Amino acid sequence: MKTSRVSLAAALAAGTVLVLSGPAFAHVGVQPAGEATKGGYAVINFKVPNERDNASTTQLEVNFPIDQPLTSVMPQDIPGWTVNVEKTKLDKPLTVHGKQINEAVTKVTWSGGKIEPGKFQQFPVSVGKLPEADQMVFKAIQTYDNNEVVRWIEETKPGAAEPQTPAPVLKLTAAKAADGHHDAAAKPADEAKNTGKDAKDDHHDEAAAKGSDTTARALGIAGIVIGLGGVAFGVASRRRTS
Protein backbone atom coordinates (compact mmCIF):
# COMPACT_ATOMS: atom_id res chain seq x y z
CA MET A 1 0.00 0.00 0.00
CA LYS A 2 2.85 2.30 0.92
CA THR A 3 4.57 1.53 -2.40
CA SER A 4 1.42 2.40 -4.34
CA ARG A 5 1.14 5.76 -2.61
CA VAL A 6 4.77 6.59 -3.36
CA SER A 7 4.31 5.64 -7.02
CA LEU A 8 1.15 7.76 -7.28
CA ALA A 9 2.89 10.76 -5.71
CA ALA A 10 5.83 10.42 -8.12
CA ALA A 11 3.50 10.23 -11.10
CA LEU A 12 1.60 13.34 -9.99
CA ALA A 13 4.89 15.21 -9.48
CA ALA A 14 6.13 14.23 -12.93
CA GLY A 15 2.82 15.29 -14.48
CA THR A 16 3.01 18.64 -12.73
CA VAL A 17 6.54 19.24 -14.07
CA LEU A 18 5.40 18.43 -17.60
CA VAL A 19 2.42 20.76 -17.36
CA LEU A 20 4.49 23.64 -15.96
CA SER A 21 7.36 23.19 -18.38
CA GLY A 22 5.18 22.69 -21.46
CA PRO A 23 4.83 26.37 -22.48
CA ALA A 24 8.61 26.85 -22.26
CA PHE A 25 9.07 24.54 -25.22
CA ALA A 26 6.50 26.30 -27.42
CA HIS A 27 6.79 30.06 -27.29
CA VAL A 28 6.87 32.73 -29.98
CA GLY A 29 10.38 32.97 -31.42
CA VAL A 30 12.34 34.48 -34.29
CA GLN A 31 14.97 32.86 -36.50
CA PRO A 32 16.80 33.98 -39.64
CA ALA A 33 16.09 32.08 -42.86
CA GLY A 34 19.86 32.03 -43.49
CA GLU A 35 22.37 34.20 -41.67
CA ALA A 36 21.61 37.47 -39.94
CA THR A 37 24.86 39.45 -40.07
CA LYS A 38 25.61 42.75 -38.43
CA GLY A 39 25.15 45.63 -40.84
CA GLY A 40 23.48 43.42 -43.45
CA TYR A 41 20.04 42.39 -44.67
CA ALA A 42 18.17 39.17 -43.90
CA VAL A 43 14.83 37.38 -44.00
CA ILE A 44 13.60 36.50 -40.51
CA ASN A 45 10.69 34.25 -39.52
CA PHE A 46 8.49 34.82 -36.51
CA LYS A 47 7.34 31.34 -35.48
CA VAL A 48 4.03 31.28 -33.61
CA PRO A 49 2.76 28.00 -32.13
CA ASN A 50 -0.80 27.69 -30.83
CA GLU A 51 -0.55 26.71 -27.18
CA ARG A 52 -4.23 26.31 -26.39
CA ASP A 53 -6.36 23.21 -26.90
CA ASN A 54 -9.66 25.09 -27.02
CA ALA A 55 -8.77 28.31 -28.88
CA SER A 56 -7.07 29.49 -32.07
CA THR A 57 -4.55 32.30 -32.51
CA THR A 58 -6.04 35.11 -34.58
CA GLN A 59 -3.51 37.93 -34.24
CA LEU A 60 0.22 38.52 -33.80
CA GLU A 61 1.72 41.90 -32.98
CA VAL A 62 5.49 42.35 -33.19
CA ASN A 63 7.18 45.46 -31.84
CA PHE A 64 10.50 46.48 -33.41
CA PRO A 65 13.11 48.10 -31.12
CA ILE A 66 13.11 51.84 -31.63
CA ASP A 67 16.69 52.12 -30.34
CA GLN A 68 17.77 49.85 -33.22
CA PRO A 69 15.78 51.32 -36.11
CA LEU A 70 15.49 49.35 -39.34
CA THR A 71 15.05 51.39 -42.50
CA SER A 72 13.70 48.43 -44.50
CA VAL A 73 10.94 46.13 -43.20
CA MET A 74 8.94 44.18 -45.81
CA PRO A 75 6.51 41.47 -44.62
CA GLN A 76 5.75 38.58 -46.95
CA ASP A 77 2.11 38.04 -47.93
CA ILE A 78 0.48 35.11 -46.13
CA PRO A 79 -2.79 33.74 -47.51
CA GLY A 80 -5.69 34.46 -45.14
CA TRP A 81 -3.81 37.06 -43.13
CA THR A 82 -3.87 40.87 -43.28
CA VAL A 83 -0.69 42.73 -42.37
CA ASN A 84 -0.41 46.27 -41.04
CA VAL A 85 2.91 48.12 -40.79
CA GLU A 86 3.30 51.10 -38.46
CA LYS A 87 6.12 53.64 -38.64
CA THR A 88 7.41 56.22 -36.17
CA LYS A 89 9.35 59.40 -36.83
CA LEU A 90 12.97 59.17 -35.71
CA ASP A 91 14.44 61.70 -33.33
CA LYS A 92 17.71 61.41 -35.22
CA PRO A 93 17.45 60.80 -39.00
CA LEU A 94 19.53 58.03 -40.56
CA THR A 95 21.49 58.14 -43.80
CA VAL A 96 21.31 54.99 -45.92
CA HIS A 97 22.86 54.77 -49.42
CA GLY A 98 23.13 58.55 -49.47
CA LYS A 99 19.44 59.01 -48.66
CA GLN A 100 18.15 60.51 -45.41
CA ILE A 101 15.59 58.38 -43.53
CA ASN A 102 13.29 60.19 -41.11
CA GLU A 103 11.09 57.29 -39.96
CA ALA A 104 11.37 53.59 -39.18
CA VAL A 105 9.00 50.66 -38.68
CA THR A 106 8.13 50.11 -35.04
CA LYS A 107 5.26 47.61 -35.25
CA VAL A 108 3.94 44.91 -37.60
CA THR A 109 0.57 43.28 -36.94
CA TRP A 110 -0.90 40.19 -38.63
CA SER A 111 -4.63 39.52 -38.17
CA GLY A 112 -7.64 37.88 -39.81
CA GLY A 113 -6.07 34.44 -40.08
CA LYS A 114 -6.22 31.47 -37.76
CA ILE A 115 -3.68 29.15 -36.15
CA GLU A 116 -5.61 26.15 -34.88
CA PRO A 117 -4.71 24.04 -31.82
CA GLY A 118 -1.75 21.77 -32.45
CA LYS A 119 -0.41 23.91 -35.33
CA PHE A 120 1.99 26.79 -35.86
CA GLN A 121 2.50 29.57 -38.41
CA GLN A 122 5.59 31.39 -39.63
CA PHE A 123 5.51 35.10 -40.48
CA PRO A 124 8.47 36.01 -42.77
CA VAL A 125 9.85 39.56 -42.91
CA SER A 126 12.73 40.97 -44.95
CA VAL A 127 14.66 43.41 -42.75
CA GLY A 128 17.72 45.66 -42.87
CA LYS A 129 20.01 47.32 -42.36
CA LEU A 130 20.70 45.27 -39.22
CA PRO A 131 22.49 47.04 -36.35
CA GLU A 132 26.08 46.45 -35.27
CA ALA A 133 24.91 44.58 -32.19
CA ASP A 134 24.93 41.01 -30.90
CA GLN A 135 21.15 40.69 -30.84
CA MET A 136 17.76 42.30 -31.34
CA VAL A 137 14.77 41.84 -29.03
CA PHE A 138 11.28 41.84 -30.54
CA LYS A 139 8.43 42.04 -28.04
CA ALA A 140 5.37 40.17 -29.34
CA ILE A 141 1.72 39.91 -28.36
CA GLN A 142 -0.33 36.83 -29.26
CA THR A 143 -4.14 37.02 -29.27
CA TYR A 144 -6.60 34.08 -29.23
CA ASP A 145 -10.17 33.97 -30.47
CA ASN A 146 -11.40 33.58 -26.87
CA ASN A 147 -9.95 37.07 -26.17
CA GLU A 148 -6.97 35.67 -24.27
CA VAL A 149 -3.80 37.72 -24.76
CA VAL A 150 -0.27 36.42 -24.14
CA ARG A 151 2.48 39.03 -23.95
CA TRP A 152 5.87 37.66 -25.02
CA ILE A 153 7.80 40.66 -23.70
CA GLU A 154 10.06 39.44 -20.90
CA GLU A 155 13.78 39.80 -21.53
CA THR A 156 16.13 37.08 -20.32
CA LYS A 157 18.74 38.45 -17.94
CA PRO A 158 22.35 37.16 -18.15
CA GLY A 159 22.84 34.18 -15.86
CA ALA A 160 19.15 33.95 -15.01
CA ALA A 161 16.64 31.28 -15.98
CA GLU A 162 14.42 31.86 -19.00
CA PRO A 163 11.24 33.73 -18.02
CA GLN A 164 7.80 32.23 -18.52
CA THR A 165 6.95 34.44 -21.50
CA PRO A 166 10.30 35.41 -23.09
CA ALA A 167 10.49 37.95 -25.90
CA PRO A 168 11.77 36.67 -29.26
CA VAL A 169 15.52 37.32 -29.64
CA LEU A 170 17.36 37.49 -32.96
CA LYS A 171 21.06 36.65 -32.71
CA LEU A 172 23.36 38.59 -35.04
CA THR A 173 26.69 37.29 -36.30
CA ALA A 174 29.77 39.19 -37.43
CA ALA A 175 30.15 39.68 -41.16
CA LYS A 176 32.66 37.35 -42.82
CA ALA A 177 35.95 38.75 -44.13
CA ALA A 178 35.80 39.82 -47.75
CA ASP A 179 37.28 37.55 -50.39
CA GLY A 180 39.60 40.41 -51.34
CA HIS A 181 41.81 39.59 -48.35
CA HIS A 182 42.23 36.06 -49.65
CA ASP A 183 42.97 37.35 -53.12
CA ALA A 184 45.47 39.86 -51.76
CA ALA A 185 47.21 37.13 -49.78
CA ALA A 186 47.23 34.76 -52.73
CA LYS A 187 48.50 37.37 -55.20
CA PRO A 188 52.04 37.72 -53.80
CA ALA A 189 52.39 33.92 -53.76
CA ASP A 190 51.19 33.74 -57.37
CA GLU A 191 53.54 36.54 -58.35
CA ALA A 192 56.47 34.78 -56.65
CA LYS A 193 55.52 31.55 -58.38
CA ASN A 194 55.27 33.27 -61.74
CA THR A 195 58.52 35.13 -61.11
CA GLY A 196 60.30 31.85 -60.39
CA LYS A 197 58.81 30.34 -63.52
CA ASP A 198 59.85 33.33 -65.60
CA ALA A 199 63.37 33.18 -64.19
CA LYS A 200 63.59 29.48 -65.01
CA ASP A 201 62.35 30.18 -68.53
CA ASP A 202 64.92 32.97 -68.90
CA HIS A 203 67.73 30.63 -67.84
CA HIS A 204 66.49 28.03 -70.31
CA ASP A 205 66.27 30.60 -73.11
CA GLU A 206 69.72 31.94 -72.26
CA ALA A 207 71.22 28.43 -72.29
CA ALA A 208 69.51 27.69 -75.60
CA ALA A 209 70.82 30.94 -77.06
CA LYS A 210 74.34 30.14 -75.92
CA GLY A 211 74.08 26.65 -77.44
CA SER A 212 72.86 28.06 -80.72
CA ASP A 213 75.66 30.64 -80.77
CA THR A 214 78.30 27.97 -80.11
CA THR A 215 76.90 25.76 -82.86
CA ALA A 216 76.90 28.67 -85.30
CA ARG A 217 80.49 29.49 -84.48
CA ALA A 218 81.57 25.85 -84.93
CA LEU A 219 79.81 25.66 -88.27
CA GLY A 220 81.41 28.93 -89.35
CA ILE A 221 84.92 27.73 -88.48
CA ALA A 222 84.28 24.42 -90.23
CA GLY A 223 83.12 26.35 -93.30
CA ILE A 224 86.28 28.45 -93.29
CA VAL A 225 88.47 25.37 -92.97
CA ILE A 226 86.66 23.67 -95.83
CA GLY A 227 86.91 26.83 -97.88
CA LEU A 228 90.66 27.13 -97.29
CA GLY A 229 91.05 23.48 -98.16
CA GLY A 230 89.22 24.05 -101.41
CA VAL A 231 91.44 27.01 -102.27
CA ALA A 232 94.56 24.99 -101.52
CA PHE A 233 93.31 22.13 -103.66
CA GLY A 234 92.59 24.54 -106.52
CA VAL A 235 96.06 26.07 -106.37
CA ALA A 236 97.69 22.65 -106.32
CA SER A 237 95.67 21.58 -109.33
CA ARG A 238 96.71 24.66 -111.32
CA ARG A 239 100.38 24.00 -110.54
CA ARG A 240 100.11 20.44 -111.76
CA THR A 241 98.40 21.53 -114.93
CA SER A 242 101.06 24.10 -115.72
Side-chain angles (χ1 to χ4, degrees):
M1 188 71 171
K2 184 177 180 180
T3 303
S4 300
R5 290 179 179 177
V6 172
S7 300
L8 179 60
L12 289 175
T16 302
V17 171
L18 289 175
V19 170
L20 293 177
S21 62
F25 293 99
H27 50 253
V28 174
V30 58
Q31 293 181 338
E35 289 187 356
T37 58
K38 301 176 183 179
Y41 292 79
V43 174
I44 59 178
N45 292 314
F46 291 97
K47 183 179 179 181
V48 183
N50 192 88
E51 296 184 308
R52 302 295 179 260
D53 296 330
N54 58 353
S56 297
T57 297
T58 55
Q59 180 173 295
L60 173 67
E61 175 186 310
V62 177
N63 293 277
F64 286 67
I66 190 62
D67 58 336
Q68 296 173 323
L70 299 176
T71 57
S72 176
V73 177
M74 296 184 292
Q76 181 176 323
D77 288 335
I78 302 175
W81 292 83
T82 300
V83 60
N84 182 56
V85 179
E86 296 183 27
K87 295 182 179 181
T88 299
K89 189 173 182 179
L90 297 174
D91 294 332
K92 184 179 180 181
L94 300 175
T95 301
V96 180
H97 302 304
K99 182 180 179 181
Q100 192 175 59
I101 306 298
N102 296 312
E103 58 183 12
V105 172
T106 52
K107 183 188 297 185
V108 178
T109 304
W110 291 267
S111 60
K114 181 179 290 187
I115 307 175
E116 298 177 349
K119 297 183 179 180
F120 75 93
Q121 176 69 54
Q122 289 190 347
F123 298 87
V125 184
S126 175
V127 297
K129 188 176 182 181
L130 295 173
E132 296 290 341
D134 293 330
Q135 66 179 28
M136 294 185 71
V137 179
F138 299 89
K139 297 183 178 181
I141 300 176
Q142 183 178 11
T143 302
Y144 291 87
D145 57 8
N146 61 356
N147 295 324
E148 180 185 2
V149 176
V150 181
R151 301 178 183 276
W152 304 95
I153 61 175
E154 297 181 90
E155 296 188 38
T156 304
K157 297 180 180 180
E162 184 180 67
Q164 187 175 359
T165 53
V169 177
L170 176 66
K171 299 293 185 180
L172 303 178
T173 59
K176 295 181 180 179
D179 294 337
H181 294 290
H182 173 73
D183 295 339
K187 188 175 181 180
D190 292 339
E191 289 180 349
K193 184 177 180 181
N194 292 332
T195 301
K197 183 179 179 182
D198 292 341
K200 185 183 293 185
D201 292 340
D202 291 341
H203 287 302
H204 176 74
D205 293 341
E206 184 178 355
K210 288 182 178 180
S212 299
D213 184 61
T214 302
T215 302
R217 289 182 180 180
L219 292 174
I221 294 173
I224 293 173
V225 172
I226 293 172
L228 291 174
V231 172
F233 179 78
V235 171
S237 297
R238 288 181 181 179
R239 287 181 178 177
R240 291 175 185 175
T241 303
S242 58

